[in-house]
Amino acid sequence: QVQLVESGGGLVQPGGSLRLSCAASGITFSIYNMNWYRQAPGKQRELVASITVGGTTSYADFVKGRSSISRDNNKNTVYLQMMNLKSEDTAVYYCHAATLGSMYWGQGTQVTVSS
């Protein structure tokens, strides 16, 4: 059974930081490209950051320079470090694993940026 379990979300003040984690099980983690998406109320789900099997990273413009995605293949975990958070970062953040022929989603973790 494949599971992607996100953690690390919560309430944070504007300008604060969070580190999201996504622990994978039931898949050969090292062959999956890993992504973080987010979905705010009333909006479409959007890609936040990606990391390939080789460790190449990419970011959406709205988080570039204040987020960092990383992976630990020994722990089957992908991370998203977010800094200088803004109210518009409020959303449910989803972990996504993708490889040729298959992909999986986590259940999401809520991030709320508010004073």
Side-chain angles (χ1 to χ4, degrees), residues 54-100:
T56 300
T57 59
S58 59
Y59 301 90
D61 285 345
F62 53 77
V63 296
K64 198 171 292 183
R66 56 189 188 93
S67 292
S68 178
I69 187 171
S70 60
R71 65 189 299 160
D72 185 337
N73 289 343
N74 292 321
K75 296 182 178 180
N76 290 355
T77 300
V78 61
Y79 305 97
L80 181 67
Q81 177 74 48
M82 298 189 293
M83 299 159 284
N84 190 22
L85 284 160
K86 308 173 182 180
S87 58
E88 51 264 43
D89 294 317
T90 295
V92 178
Y93 284 72
Y94 295 92
C95 179
H96 176 254
T99 192
L100 187 64

